[in-house]
Amino acid sequence: MPGKLKVKIVAGRHLPVMDRASDLTDAFVEVKFGNTTFKTDVYLKSLNPQWNSEWFKFEVDDEDLQDEPLQITVLDHDTYSANDAIGKVYIDIDPLLYSEAATVISGWFPIYDTIHGIRGEINVVVKVDLFNDLNRFRQSSCGVKFFCTTSIPKCYRAVIIHGFVEELVVNEDPEYQWIDRIRTPRASNEARQRLISLMSGELQRKIGLKVLEMRGNAVVGYLQCFDLEGESGLVVRAIGTACTLDKLSSPAAFLPACNSPSKEIKEIPFNEDPNPNTHSSGPSTPLKNQTYSFSPSKSYSRQSSSSDTDLSLTPKTGMGSGSAGKEGGPFKALLRQQTQSALEQREFPFFTLTAFPPGFLVHVGGVVSARSVKLLDRIHNPAFVGIMGNTRSYKLLDWNSFNSDEPETRDAWWAEIRQEIKSHAKALGCHAVVGYSESTSICEEVCILSASGTAAVLNPRFLQDGTVEGCLEQRLEENLPAGCGFCHIPYDELNMPFPAHLTYCYNCRKQKVPDVLFTTIDLPTDAAVIGKGCLIQARLCRLKKKAQAEANATAISNLLPFMEYEVHTQLMNKLKLKGMNALFGLRIQITVGENMLMGLASATGVYLAALPTPGGIQIAGKTPNDGSYEQHISHMQKKINDTITKNKELYEINPPEISEEIIGSPIPEPRQRSRLLRSQSESSDEVTELDLSHGKKDAFVLEIDDTDAMEDVHSLLTDVPPPSGFYSCNTEIMPGINNWTSEIQMFTSVRVIRLSSLNLTNQALNKNFNDLCENLLKSLYFKLRSMIPCCLCHVNFTVSLPEDELIQVTVTAVAITFDKNQALQTTKAQVEKSLQRASTDNEELLQFPLELCSDSLSSHPFPPAKEHLESASSNSGIPAAQRDRCSSWIELIKLKAQTIRRGSIKTTVTVEKASPMGEGNFRNRAAPPCANSTVGVVKMTPLSFIPGAKITKYLGIINMFFIRETTSLREEGGVSGFLHAFIAEVFAMVRAHVAALGGNAVVSYIMKQCVFMENPNKNQAQCLINVSGDAVVFVRESDLEVVSTQQPPANCQPLCTGGEVTT
Amino acid sequence: MTSELDIFVGNTTLIDEDVYRLWLDGYSVSDAVALRVRSGILEQTGATAAVLQSDTMDHYRTFHMLERLLHAPPKLLHQLIFQIPPSRQALLIERYYAFDEAFVREVLGKKLSKGTKKDLDDISTKTSITLKSCRRQFDNFKRVFKVVEEMRGSLVDNIQQHFLLSDRLARDYAAIVFFANNRFETGKKKLQYLSFGDFAFCAELMIQNWTLGAVDSQVDDMDMDLDKEFLQDLKELKVLVADKDLLDLHKSLVCTALRGKLGVFSEMEANFKNLSRGLVNVAAKLTHNKDVRDLFVDLVEKFVEPCRSDHWPLSDVRLFLNQYSASVHSLDGFRHQALWDRYMGTLRGCLLRLYHD
C-alpha cells in the first residue's frame, strides 16, 4: 500500500441548469479512483454549489497511481429517475508522483461532457502521500520524470544520455465493441477516453521501468501517439530518450548569462565561486555512474532482426581510415570507435532529441527514413522501406516470418523499421540517429508506418560508458570546430554511400562537407549561419485506384518511391530557389486515403556558412530548335534567376566571397563514381537505388520535356514569400533572428476542403493541395498582422484524408514578436564577423587565441571559454558542458605546444568564432522586459522555451485525450462552429490543468491528433483530439533581475502562479 | 474546391476591433467583408478577398460564442474557455453594451416589452441602424432592467457590479432603466430637440433627489421608483399660485432682486405668473402616473417654450430660476420650504439643461 491519494471537492460554479422547473441544479460529485468511489452530499438548488467535502482517501498501489486517472463526475440528483450526469473531469495524478514536480493539484477544472462540451467548473484539491517502497521487483516507476521537450530541459543538466526507449500497448477500441451498438454515444466516448487515459498511464509506467533499468531518471523527447486502427484495435505507442538528469540547484550560476550582455561580462568571474559543485564533477573526476554496469533490457532483445542478415552490429573499423590522410584523421577514427563502443550495446542508438548539449553532436550524415505498408487485419503484405535525404533506396520486404499476435505484431513492425533506419545510418557512416520520430497513417485496413531521423556521429561523453571520459576524449574535443563540425561528412569520402559533391568546409577548410545537408534536428546553436531561414514545403498528391487489402497495399507501396522522389526534388528545387544550402527540422508526412496519397514535407531552409553556395537552377528544353519555345525557356530562366536574387536579398544571404584556391577544387568526380558501387554492395538488401543527389552538377538542371515538368516549374514560382515583417520556420528558433520580445501567440488552425470529383487529375489535385496550404499560410499572416515584426516558429502541418474527397490540414504554430532594429544590427555584425573570418588566414587564427590564452591566465581564469560556454548553454541549458570545456581549456593551455601540432587550432578558432554567435544567442533571451505580465494567464507554446522568461520548474507532463460528439451540428454553428468550440475547450482544459499544478505555461505543446469526422446528413460530427506538453513555471526575466538582487534566486517564486486561471 | 471547414483558434483569443464593431453594428459576414474591402485593408496587407472572408467568418464565430458570456459579463471574467487579457475583456463588454444615440432616443421611456420589440423594424428603418444591432441594444436595455429591478442599493452601483461597465456607461444605463421604469414620454415632437444626454442628466438629478433612495437607502428599487409620498406632498406647493397674495409677494421679491440684472426683465415681469403657475402646477399634477409620464412635455410647454419665444438667454434663465427658488424662503406664509427645495432644486437643474435650441 505505498500511496495514499487524497481528494477534496470544494465547489462548483457556472453549472448548467438541469431542472427546467426551478432553473437550478441539485448537484453532487462522485470521485472515483480504480474501483473505489466516494460521493459528496447533494447541494440543493444552486448553480454554484459549495460542497466543501471531507478529504476522500484512496489507499492504492503506486502502480495504480501511475496507470489510473482520477475520475470526477458531477451529477444532478433526481429523486425519482436516474441521476443525470453533468460532466466529468479526468485528472492525471502523475505529476504528484515525482518529488521535484507539483506537490498539490488545486484549482478550477472545466467540467467536460463529450456531448455538450464544457459545462461549468469544479474546484478540486488533490494530494498524494507516497511511502518509500524498496521493492526491487516493483512494477511501478514512480519518480521517473517525463518531458515532451526534445532537448535537455532548461533547469536540468544531462549527466548521461542513455538512449532510446519505446513501448506500445494494444487494446480493443470500445467504439468497435459489440456493446457499442446498445450504449449511448456518451457512454461509448467516455469508455474510450477512460481507456486511452489508462493505456497512456500504463505505457508511461512501462517506459519508466525501462528507464530505471537503464539507470536513468528521466525521459526526454517523450512522444506518445495513438493509432486508431478501427476494427483491429487501438494502439498507444511511445518513444523517448532515457537520460540521467541533474537538477541545477542554483539557477543563478547560469541565469545572468542570458540576461544582458553587459551583465554577463561582469558576472562571469563571480559565477565560478558561488557554484563550485558544478565544477567538482568535471570530466576528469570519475562520476558516480561509472559504477553502473549496463544491462541491456531484456525487452529489447526480440527476434526482430531476422530478415537483416547483413546488418551486423560489429563496427566497421575500416570506415574511419579513409580520411587518415588529413589532420585529425586518427582522432576521427578514435572518436568513431569510442562512440561505437558506447552505442553498440544498444539495439537502437536512437535519440528523439532535436537539440543537444554543446559538443554532443559531432557530425551529421543526413536524413534517414523508412516506411512500410502494412495490412491491419493480415500480416502478409509487401513492405516498403527507403532512405531519405542525400541517398535513397527502396525495397520490398516480406514479413512473413512474423506472427500476428498483438502487440507482438506491432512491436515487430516497428522493430523492423528501426532496424532499417539503423542500417541506413550505418551506410552513412553514422552510429546514431538523432531527431528520431515515428508516425503512422491509417486508411481502412492499410497502414503506413514511417520513421525518420538524422544519421549522426555523437560524442561519447554524454553516453553511457564512463570509461570514455578521460584525456583522450578531450583531445577529441579539441578536434571539433564548433559551428561547422557537424557539417563535416561522417562517411568516408572515397567510399561514399551515395554520390555527392564534396568540397572543403568553407568555414575551417580542413574537412570535407557535402553541398547540401538535410536534417530532422534543430539548427545547432553554435552553427554559423548567414542570413535568415525560411519555411520550405514540398506538397504532393498522387491519385490511386480504390482497391482492397493486398492490392491496395501493393499499389501504395508502388507509389511511395515516386512520391518520395518528387518530394525530395521539390524540396531541393525550393531550397535552391531560396539560395540556401541546408534543411533543418525536415518532416515528411505521407498520408494515405481511399483514392489518393498525399505527401507534405516541411523544413526550415538556412544558409550554412560551412557549406558551398548553392548553384542556380538551369532550365533545359527538350526541343531546342523551336524558336518560340526557346524564348519561353529563357524567359522562365530569367524569372527563376530573378527569384533567387530576390530571395537572397529577402533572407539577407550574402556570403563572403571566397576565392577558389582557398577552398580547393571539388573532388574529382570519377573517383567518386567508382566508389559508389562499393557502397551499394555493402547493403545488399537495397534492391532499387534511386539517385536523388543532383549535386554532381554545379547548376541544378530542370528538364522541361513535358507539361508535367512545366507545372513543376510554375508551382515553384507560385510560392509567395510571406509579407514583409513576417518570417516562418518549423524549427524551435529562427536562424538569424535572436531578439525575441515576450509577446507570443500559439494557435491551431484547421481547414478542410472538398474536392470536386470531376477534375481529379494529379495536376488539379496538386494545385488544390498547394492552394490549400498557401491560402492557409496567407490567412495566418493576415490574422497575425498586428504582431509584425514577428516570426511563426515551429509551424507544424498535419494532413489527413478523412473521406474520399476531403483534405484536412491542421496547423499548430506560435507567433513570436521580435525587435526589428536589433535584428538588423546582429545580422550585420554576423556578416562582418564572417567576412572577417574569411579574410584572416590560418596564421592569424593561430596567433590570436594564443594571445587570448596568456591574457586570460594573467587576469582571471578562462573568461573567453566561459563566455562562450555560458552563452551556448543559455540556449540548451546544459552547464554540464561548461565545466568540461573549462577544464579542457586548462588542458589546452598546458598542452599548447603539442596540440597545435595535432591540429587543435580548430578549438581555438571555435572560441573566437563562437563568441559572437553566442552573444547573439543570449541576446535572443535578453528580450526587452515586458512589464505587463497578466495574472492568471497560462501561456502555451510548441517551443521548449518562453521568450524573455526563465523556466524555473517543470511540473510534469500534460497528456490529454478528448472526444467530442454532437448530434446537433447545425445548431452548433456547423462543422466550423463545432470544431472551433472544441479546440477552444481543449485549450481551456489544458490551461486549467497547468494552473491547477501551479504552473503558468505549457512548453513543447503539440496537438498530436485531430481526427474529425462528420455526417452532415445526420447532423452529426465527432472529433478526437490528443495534445501533450510540459507544464512549467516561468518567471519573466525582468522580474527575475529584481528578485535576484533581493533574495537568493533559488527561492524565487513565479509571479503568476496560483490556483486559478484567468481570474 | 470548396472550403468545408476553416477555423483559427489562438491560445489568446484574437479580437479584431474593427470586425467587432461591424459585428456589433449587425452587418452580415458578406456586408462586413465588403465594408472591410472598401476600407482599403487589402491594399495595406496584400491579402486576398478569400483571406478576408475567412478572417471575418472566424471573428464572427468567436463573437457569436462570446455573446453568451457577454450577457453576463462577470461570467466572461471567470470563464476558462477564452483566454482574453483584462483590457480586452473590458473593451468587449463596453462595446457590447454601448448603444446608438439615435436608437436610445427612440426607445427611451418606452416599456421594454415584447410590444416595443416588435416596433424595432420601424426604428431600424427610421434610424438606419440594422435590425440586428437594434435587437442587441434593446435586449441589453431589457437585460440590465431585469437584473437590477427589485434590487437594493444604488442603481449605478448595481449596474456596474453586474455588468462591469465603465462609470459613464453605467450612469447612462441607470437613466435608461429609470426612464423605462417611469415611462417618461420623450418621443413627442416637442421633445425631439432634446438629446439622450439631456434626459440622462435629468434622470440622474431625479434619481438623486426624487426617488425613495434619496430618503431611505434600504429599500428595493430605491433608485427606480419616484418617492410616492413626496409626489403626494407636492400638492401642498399649489398654495404658491393659488394664494394670490403669496404669488404677488413672490413676484415682487423676484422682481426686486433681478431688476437691472436681467436683459429680459420686462418679459419676465410680464410672464412671471404664467411661468410660476406652470412650474407649480407640474408639481401638483405629479400624483397621477399619466402626468408623471408627461413631465418633460409639460416642462417644455410650460417653461422652456415661453422663455424661448421671448428669447431669454440661458444666463437670464439661470438668474431667474435661482432667484425664483430662493425667494420662496422669504415667504413667511409658506410652510413647505424643504419640500420646495427638494422639488425646485432638481427642477432647476433639469430646466437649465433642457433650455437650449
Side-chain angles (χ1 to χ4, degrees):
Chain A
M1 204 68 67
K4 193 186 269 179
L5 171 70
K6 299 191 289 182
V7 184
K8 185 186 175 106
I9 306 295
V10 183
R13 67 181 183 197
H14 305 148
L15 294 188
V17 170
M18 298 300 283
D19 180 4
R20 288 265 157 244
S22 65
D23 264 4
L24 289 167
T25 297
D26 303 327
F28 72 100
V29 182
E30 269 182 19
V31 186
K32 190 177 174 194
F33 189 83
N35 294 320
T36 318
T37 307
F38 291 102
K39 279 182 193 174
T40 66
D41 298 334
V42 178
Y43 195 92
L44 289 170
K45 301 197 185 311
S46 173
L47 298 183
N48 301 291
Q50 305 289 320
W51 292 289
N52 246 322
S53 77
E54 57 185 301
W55 285 99
F56 299 124
K57 295 183 181 111
F58 301 87
E59 296 186 332
V60 276
D61 285 341
D62 46 0
E63 190 181 333
D64 286 340
L65 281 173
Q66 284 193 297
D67 286 6
E68 293 269 352
L70 175 67
Q71 192 178 323
I72 293 167
T73 314
V74 186
L75 298 115
D76 178 50
H77 177 75
D78 204 323
T79 321
Y80 304 107
S81 60
N83 299 325
D84 292 325
I86 295 171
K88 289 190 179 213
V89 180
Y90 291 97
I91 301 177
D92 180 12
I93 46 167
D94 218 45
L96 295 179
L97 302 183
Y98 21 97
S99 48
E100 294 150 41
T103 52
V104 62
I105 299 177
S106 165
W108 289 98
F109 291 88
I111 303 167
Y112 182 73
D113 179 68
T114 60
I115 306 293
H116 294 101
I118 290 178
R119 304 171 98 188
E121 291 117 39
I122 183 169
N123 195 326
V124 181
V125 186
V126 185
K127 285 181 181 173
V128 171
D129 289 338
L130 267 187
F131 311 130
N132 264 340
D133 180 21
L134 298 171
N135 182 3
R136 238 166 222 290
F137 307 100
R138 60 184 185 163
Q139 286 301 300
S140 81
S141 54
C142 288
V144 175
K145 290 181 280 289
F146 284 79
F147 301 92
C148 294
T149 303
T150 55
S151 55
I152 302 302
K154 294 287 181 284
C155 40
Y156 292 89
R157 67 178 189 90
V159 179
I160 309 168
I161 299 174
H162 299 278
F164 191 60
V165 279
E166 49 79 31
E167 187 61 78
L168 63 78
V169 242
V170 177
N171 208 312
E172 242 182 294
D173 191 338
E175 185 102 337
Y176 294 88
Q177 283 166 344
W178 66 269
I179 194 166
D180 204 56
R181 287 157 204 262
I182 53 167
R183 65 180 166 192
T184 62
R186 176 182 284 122
S188 167
N189 290 339
E190 278 171 7
R192 237 174 154 189
Q193 282 193 168
R194 202 183 114 72
L195 177 71
I196 287 187
S197 192
L198 257 172
M199 284 168 80
S200 22
E202 183 190 341
L203 193 69
Q204 216 167 309
R205 176 172 57 81
K206 285 187 170 169
I207 291 243
L209 281 173
K210 286 190 176 179
V211 172
L212 289 177
E213 217 170 314
M214 294 165 98
R215 311 246 173 191
N217 64 4
V219 182
V220 179
Y222 184 67
L223 179 71
Q224 186 195 292
C225 290
F226 301 94
D227 297 330
L228 301 166
E229 292 187 352
E231 298 283 346
S232 62
L234 189 65
V235 178
V236 185
R237 57 190 165 80
I239 54 173
T241 305
C243 292
T244 302
L245 298 183
D246 245 13
K247 179 127 175 116
L248 294 166
S249 48
S250 153
F254 63 95
L255 278 181
C258 29
N259 274 341
S260 64
S262 56
K263 210 164 204 158
E264 185 195 27
I265 291 147
K266 268 184 265 161
E267 291 192 11
I268 282 154
F270 304 112
N271 288 340
E272 302 291 322
D273 300 324
N275 200 18
N277 50 340
T278 25
H279 284 283
S280 64
S281 53
S284 46
T285 326
L287 289 164
K288 47 180 184 297
N289 53 57
Q290 265 184 323
T291 54
Y292 293 167
S293 64
F294 177 70
S295 54
S297 64
K298 46 204 179 304
S299 53
Y300 290 154
S301 43
R302 282 192 209 91
Q303 80 290 34
S304 49
S305 56
S306 56
S307 75
D308 294 287
T309 43
D310 61 320
L311 298 174
S312 69
L313 307 181
T314 46
K316 290 207 168 71
T317 39
M319 290 205 84
S321 61
S323 57
K326 286 194 298 291
E327 254 184 316
F331 289 109
K332 207 170 177 177
L334 262 174
L335 172 71
R336 188 160 285 140
Q337 279 170 9
Q338 291 295 345
T339 322
Q340 269 178 350
S341 62
L343 289 170
E344 217 99 279
Q345 303 167 43
R346 267 153 252 205
E347 189 178 13
F348 298 115
F350 298 169
F351 300 86
T352 54
L353 304 177
T354 58
F356 310 92
F360 183 71
L361 195 64
V362 182
H363 299 302
V364 167
V367 172
V368 284
S369 83
R371 285 180 212 285
S372 142
V373 183
K374 299 290 185 187
L375 275 182
L376 291 173
D377 51 348
R378 296 181 52 209
I379 308 304
H380 300 262
N381 62 352
F384 159 85
V385 183
I387 291 190
M388 233 337 259
N390 295 343
T391 185
R392 205 57 79 107
S393 72
Y394 299 101
K395 61 172 186 174
L396 291 173
L397 291 174
D398 192 28
W399 304 129
N400 286 350
S401 49
F402 295 101
N403 307 320
S404 58
D405 293 328
E406 315 242 26
E408 279 304 308
T409 311
R410 304 295 184 266
D411 258 346
W413 286 358
W414 286 111
E416 281 300 336
I417 290 230
R418 288 170 193 147
Q419 211 44 258
E420 198 57 38
I421 288 276
K422 189 178 172 182
S423 76
H424 290 322
K426 209 182 221 337
L428 287 171
C430 298
H431 304 285
V433 176
V434 293
Y436 179 74
S437 68
E438 295 175 346
S439 63
T440 57
S441 171
I442 298 171
C443 178
E444 302 292 316
E445 73 272 278
V446 175
C447 173
I448 301 182
L449 310 184
S450 309
S452 74
T454 305
V457 174
L458 304 177
N459 189 331
R461 184 154 48 91
F462 291 95
L463 304 172
Q464 179 92 19
D465 247 5
T467 52
V468 207
E469 304 195 24
C471 65
L472 175 74
E473 181 240 326
Q474 276 173 19
R475 274 185 232 154
L476 286 168
E477 195 172 298
E478 284 150 23
N479 214 0
L480 304 173
C484 65
F486 73 94
C487 308
H488 300 161
I489 52 162
Y491 36 86
D492 179 4
E493 65 173 270
L494 301 176
N495 187 14
M496 284 196 296
F498 52 88
H501 187 203
L502 298 183
T503 47
Y504 279 106
C505 174
Y506 276 53
N507 202 17
C508 64
R509 278 166 245 135
K510 296 287 173 209
Q511 307 277 339
K512 295 287 171 63
V513 292
D515 55 344
V516 283
L517 188 63
F518 283 15
T519 74
T520 57
I521 55 170
D522 271 340
L523 185 70
T525 47
D526 55 353
V529 174
I530 294 174
K532 293 193 171 67
C534 74
L535 180 72
I536 291 178
Q537 284 195 320
R539 304 153 187 146
L540 187 68
C541 304
R542 279 290 179 126
L543 285 171
K544 144 186 111 57
K545 284 207 182 71
K546 276 192 191 180
Q548 290 302 308
E550 222 148 310
N552 196 14
T554 316
I556 294 167
S557 298
N558 291 340
L559 269 175
L560 280 174
F562 298 101
M563 292 200 61
E564 296 235 25
Y565 177 83
E566 266 187 57
V567 164
H568 185 271
T569 311
Q570 255 191 52
L571 281 175
M572 197 66 109
N573 280 339
K574 289 188 176 177
L575 185 66
K576 300 227 172 209
L577 203 63
K578 294 279 194 292
M580 297 173 184
N581 58 18
L583 286 181
F584 287 89
L586 177 63
R587 190 169 159 265
I588 301 175
Q589 200 198 347
I590 304 269
T591 310
V592 58
E594 289 268 284
N595 56 351
M596 61 178 111
L597 282 175
M598 310 282 273
L600 179 67
S602 306
T604 302
V606 293
Y607 187 104
L608 285 178
L611 264 49
T613 316
I617 301 176
Q618 215 82 54
I619 300 185
K622 200 184 178 186
T623 47
N625 300 329
D626 192 344
S628 64
Y629 188 70
E630 196 88 315
Q631 205 179 355
H632 180 68
I633 293 274
S634 70
H635 178 68
M636 294 288 281
Q637 181 68 59
K638 191 177 169 302
K639 240 169 124 180
I640 286 178
N641 292 346
D642 288 351
T643 314
I644 294 178
T645 322
K646 223 170 65 201
N647 278 331
K648 280 189 174 177
E649 222 166 278
L650 181 66
Y651 299 108
E652 294 157 28
I653 300 168
N654 26 16
E657 296 294 327
I658 303 170
S659 61
E660 274 297 298
E661 302 113 66
I662 300 174
I663 297 140
S665 51
I667 291 125
E669 251 177 60
R671 241 165 85 200
Q672 211 182 320
R673 296 304 294 175
S674 62
R675 295 288 172 175
L676 198 80
L677 290 168
R678 247 180 68 189
S679 85
Q680 248 179 352
S681 60
E682 232 176 47
S683 38
S684 57
D685 56 323
E686 292 170 7
V687 176
T688 46
E689 174 92 9
L690 286 173
D691 175 13
L692 288 175
S693 56
H694 307 273
K696 288 179 305 265
K697 298 143 195 159
D698 229 16
F700 199 63
V701 180
L702 274 183
E703 284 195 8
I704 304 186
D705 43 7
D706 55 15
T707 41
D708 257 24
M710 217 47 182
E711 289 283 328
D712 289 350
V713 176
H714 270 300
S715 70
L716 209 58
L717 292 168
T718 48
D719 273 13
V720 207
S724 80
F726 262 113
Y727 293 93
S728 52
C729 61
N730 75 334
T731 46
E732 280 253 306
I733 48 161
M734 176 70 165
I737 300 179
N738 34 35
N739 41 358
W740 306 109
T741 44
S742 56
E743 196 186 339
I744 64 168
Q745 167 71 291
M746 189 281 297
F747 59 85
T748 293
S749 186
V750 185
R751 271 195 192 188
V752 177
I753 56 158
R754 186 176 289 280
L755 303 159
S756 49
S757 49
L758 297 169
N759 58 350
L760 276 184
T761 60
N762 273 333
Q763 274 106 331
L765 210 57
N766 274 336
K767 192 181 174 316
N768 276 333
F769 184 40
N770 216 28
D771 287 352
L772 171 60
C773 295
E774 282 293 316
N775 289 339
L776 187 46
L777 280 170
K778 273 186 213 156
S779 260
L780 297 181
Y781 295 138
F782 181 76
K783 280 209 173 287
L784 300 163
R785 66 191 183 285
S786 65
M787 292 180 79
I788 286 178
C790 93
C791 179
L792 298 187
C793 293
H794 217 287
V795 179
N796 188 6
F797 273 70
T798 322
V799 186
S800 52
L801 300 163
E803 271 173 57
D804 264 18
E805 278 129 26
L806 294 184
I807 304 178
Q808 178 192 328
V809 175
T810 311
V811 186
T812 298
V814 64
I816 313 182
T817 55
F818 63 91
D819 190 334
K820 195 154 202 171
N821 300 324
Q822 258 178 297
L824 287 173
Q825 280 166 15
T826 30
T827 32
K828 254 185 212 158
Q830 265 179 23
V831 171
E832 272 163 31
K833 284 284 175 197
S834 53
L835 279 169
Q836 202 186 336
R837 189 164 59 231
S839 63
T840 42
D841 65 20
N842 278 351
E843 225 172 311
E844 276 173 299
L845 286 172
L846 194 126
Q847 279 168 6
F848 176 61
L850 289 179
E851 279 168 18
L852 208 71
C853 293
S854 53
D855 205 345
S856 54
L857 269 176
S858 59
S859 54
H860 32 243
F862 24 84
K866 188 68 187 172
E867 181 182 21
H868 158 225
L869 292 160
E870 283 284 357
S871 45
S873 64
S874 74
N875 236 337
S876 53
I878 314 296
Q882 287 177 21
R883 48 193 176 82
D884 295 349
R885 290 285 184 106
C886 286
S887 20
S888 76
W889 258 97
I890 304 171
E891 291 293 326
L892 174 78
I893 294 158
K894 280 185 197 157
L895 300 168
K896 217 165 25 182
Q898 299 108 296
T899 48
I900 287 168
R901 207 179 300 140
R902 290 188 185 178
S904 73
I905 301 148
K906 277 182 219 142
T907 319
T908 52
V909 173
T910 304
V911 174
E912 192 272 329
K913 187 199 52 140
S915 350
M917 283 302 294
E919 209 174 310
N921 284 336
F922 76 73
R923 200 173 289 176
N924 152 13
R925 324 241 106 206
C930 169
N932 52 347
S933 67
T934 339
V935 177
V937 167
V938 175
K939 299 222 175 206
M940 290 168 76
T941 172
L943 308 179
S944 65
F945 67 97
I946 292 164
K950 186 85 225 161
I951 293 171
T952 53
K953 198 174 180 188
Y954 281 79
L955 298 167
I957 201 168
I958 295 280
N959 187 8
M960 299 168 95
F961 176 84
F962 297 105
I963 302 176
R964 180 85 152 80
E965 189 166 347
T966 184
T967 47
S968 52
L969 188 59
R970 271 186 298 275
E971 294 77 0
E972 293 192 34
V975 285
S976 294
F978 170 71
L979 195 60
H980 191 148
F982 183 37
I983 291 177
E985 285 175 342
V986 168
F987 285 1
M989 287 185 276
V990 170
R991 287 192 302 256
H993 276 79
V994 172
L997 286 169
N1000 55 7
V1002 188
V1003 295
S1004 301
Y1005 167 81
I1006 174 174
M1007 184 177 282
K1008 288 175 293 191
Q1009 229 144 7
C1010 177
V1011 185
F1012 179 71
M1013 287 156 287
E1014 57 167 324
N1015 190 343
N1017 298 331
K1018 282 188 174 172
N1019 205 17
Q1020 286 176 344
Q1022 192 194 35
C1023 186
L1024 294 82
I1025 287 183
N1026 179 213
V1027 295
S1028 66
D1030 293 326
V1032 299
V1033 177
F1034 74 87
V1035 185
R1036 288 246 159 265
E1037 262 162 24
S1038 47
D1039 301 336
L1040 204 68
E1041 271 167 45
V1042 179
V1043 171
S1044 57
T1045 52
Q1046 286 167 350
Q1047 49 174 289
N1051 299 338
C1052 67
Q1053 282 296 313
L1055 294 186
C1056 317
T1057 31
E1060 289 192 33
V1061 221
T1062 51
T1063 53
Chain B
M1 185 178 92
T2 49
S3 217
E4 281 274 303
L5 186 158
D6 177 5
I7 57 158
F8 174 100
V9 190
N11 182 36
T12 305
T13 306
L14 277 186
I15 309 283
D16 185 310
E17 286 183 44
D18 298 334
V19 184
Y20 189 46
R21 202 178 290 276
L22 291 169
W23 179 74
L24 288 175
D25 287 345
Y27 292 105
S28 67
V29 173
S30 51
D31 288 348
V33 170
L35 283 166
R36 291 183 84 187
V37 169
R38 228 172 293 158
S39 76
I41 197 164
L42 294 186
E43 289 75 25
Q44 281 165 36
T45 57
T48 61
V51 166
L52 206 59
Q53 168 85 21
S54 137
D55 181 66
T56 312
M57 287 278 276
D58 221 59
H59 282 301
Y60 267 54
R61 211 168 26 242
T62 308
F63 298 144
H64 183 72
M65 285 191 261
L66 283 169
E67 191 163 23
R68 188 177 53 85
L69 298 162
L70 283 165
H71 289 167
K75 265 195 191 164
L76 183 71
L77 260 64
H78 291 116
Q79 54 84 31
L80 303 175
I81 299 177
F82 302 96
Q83 184 159 268
I84 305 169
S87 63
R88 287 266 139 172
Q89 286 179 343
L91 177 129
L92 283 173
I93 297 166
E94 195 75 4
R95 291 264 177 88
Y96 189 78
Y97 282 91
F99 48 82
D100 291 303
E101 168 87 24
F103 176 79
V104 74
R105 278 298 278 108
E106 292 297 322
V107 296
L108 192 66
K110 283 191 182 145
K111 199 175 174 191
L112 299 173
S113 63
K114 287 219 173 80
T116 315
K117 199 167 180 181
K118 278 186 193 130
D119 300 337
L120 290 180
D121 310 33
D122 300 335
I123 295 176
S124 167
T125 342
K126 193 175 161 193
T127 57
S128 62
I129 295 167
T130 59
L131 183 60
K132 225 176 151 194
S133 178
C134 289
R135 289 224 177 97
R136 171 182 61 84
Q137 298 182 39
F138 182 81
D139 289 341
N140 282 344
F141 296 165
K142 194 171 171 180
R143 192 175 318 111
V144 173
F145 187 95
K146 285 266 176 230
V147 168
V148 298
E149 77 175 336
E150 288 167 27
M151 209 175 252
R152 281 184 183 193
S154 145
L155 187 56
V156 177
D157 288 353
N158 285 341
I159 291 172
Q160 240 176 333
Q161 193 189 331
H162 287 90
F163 292 93
L164 310 172
L165 304 178
S166 68
D167 188 55
R168 214 196 70 83
L169 197 55
R171 279 168 199 281
D172 285 350
Y173 266 90
I176 293 164
V177 168
F178 182 71
F179 267 64
N181 189 46
N182 293 290
R183 313 268 300 280
F184 291 113
E185 174 62 56
T186 64
K188 283 267 163 60
K189 208 174 168 209
K190 288 193 164 92
L191 301 179
Q192 284 310 311
Y193 79 99
L194 291 170
S195 69
F196 170 72
D198 297 334
F199 287 117
F201 179 86
C202 300
E204 198 172 338
L205 281 179
M206 287 155 83
I207 290 169
Q208 271 165 21
N209 300 303
W210 288 4
T211 57
L212 281 171
V215 283
D216 181 0
S217 57
Q218 288 306 312
V219 281
D220 291 349
D221 274 339
M222 64 173 214
D223 281 352
M224 276 169 83
D225 294 334
L226 292 169
D227 184 353
K228 286 266 152 36
E229 239 170 274
F230 163 68
L231 297 182
Q232 284 295 332
D233 293 345
L234 283 177
K235 272 193 209 150
E236 309 290 338
L237 298 182
K238 234 179 166 170
V239 71
L240 281 174
V241 287
D243 186 332
K244 202 170 173 312
D245 295 343
L246 217 52
L247 182 61
D248 285 339
L249 187 57
H250 191 186
K251 182 181 171 182
S252 69
L253 278 171
V254 173
C255 288
T256 319
L258 291 180
R259 193 179 304 272
K261 290 183 188 159
L262 224 52
V264 288
F265 184 76
S266 54
E267 289 91 337
M268 188 275 286
E269 200 171 23
N271 257 333
F272 181 87
K273 284 187 180 168
N274 274 340
L275 292 174
S276 185
R277 248 182 229 120
L279 293 177
V280 173
N281 283 337
V282 166
K285 285 202 302 182
L286 286 177
T287 36
H288 305 290
N289 276 342
K290 165 80 183 61
D291 293 311
V292 170
R293 286 182 206 169
D294 284 338
L295 175 69
F296 290 94
V297 183
D298 291 341
L299 288 179
V300 169
E301 261 175 19
K302 300 280 155 52
F303 185 84
V304 177
E305 282 182 345
C307 296
R308 203 157 47 189
S309 65
D310 287 342
H311 306 290
W312 292 35
L314 183 63
S315 55
D316 286 1
V317 176
R318 182 173 292 115
L319 274 174
F320 168 74
L321 284 176
N322 286 348
Q323 200 54 49
Y324 176 74
S325 359
S327 303
V328 172
H329 296 290
S330 315
L331 297 175
D332 291 335
F334 186 68
R335 288 174 292 117
H336 310 285
Q337 300 292 356
L339 184 68
W340 172 254
D341 281 349
R342 189 175 174 191
Y343 171 68
M344 207 48 214
T346 301
L347 204 68
R348 186 181 60 209
C350 294
L351 287 171
L352 285 172
R353 177 76 192 218
L354 298 178
Y355 190 79
H356 62 83
D357 293 328

